Amino acid sequence: MSERAAPFYCPYCGDEDLRPNEQSHGAWECAACNRAFQLKFLGLLARGVQRTETGGDRI
C-alpha cells in the first residue's frame, strides 16, 4: 500500500494538475486554482454490508 492517497482531481475546481505539498502528510496543491487541500482516511464504517429481506445486498 502506498504512503499517499492520490486524488484524481481538485475538489474545488476539478482540474487534474495536482502536486504533493510537503508541508504535511496527505496535502496536495492545485496548480490551476492555486489552492491546497488535505486528504485524510477516517476509518471503516461499522455497518458494512447488510442483507435485505428480499435477499439482495444493501450497502
Side-chain angles (χ1 to χ4, degrees):
M1 192 153 131
S2 67
E3 290 185 24
R4 285 185 190 261
F8 295 109
Y9 57 88
C10 174
Y12 298 100
C13 72
D15 199 84
E16 298 177 355
D17 190 6
L18 303 176
R19 298 181 181 124
N21 181 314
E22 298 303 325
Q23 291 184 3
S24 64
H25 182 72
W28 293 85
E29 301 172 356
C30 176
C33 68
N34 203 28
R35 289 186 169 118
F37 59 94
Q38 187 172 6
L39 299 177
K40 183 177 180 182
F41 178 71
L42 298 177
L44 297 174
L45 299 176
R47 65 178 178 244
V49 176
Q50 300 172 356
R51 291 292 222 189
T52 63
E53 291 179 15
T54 59
D57 290 338
R58 188 181 76 161
I59 297 177

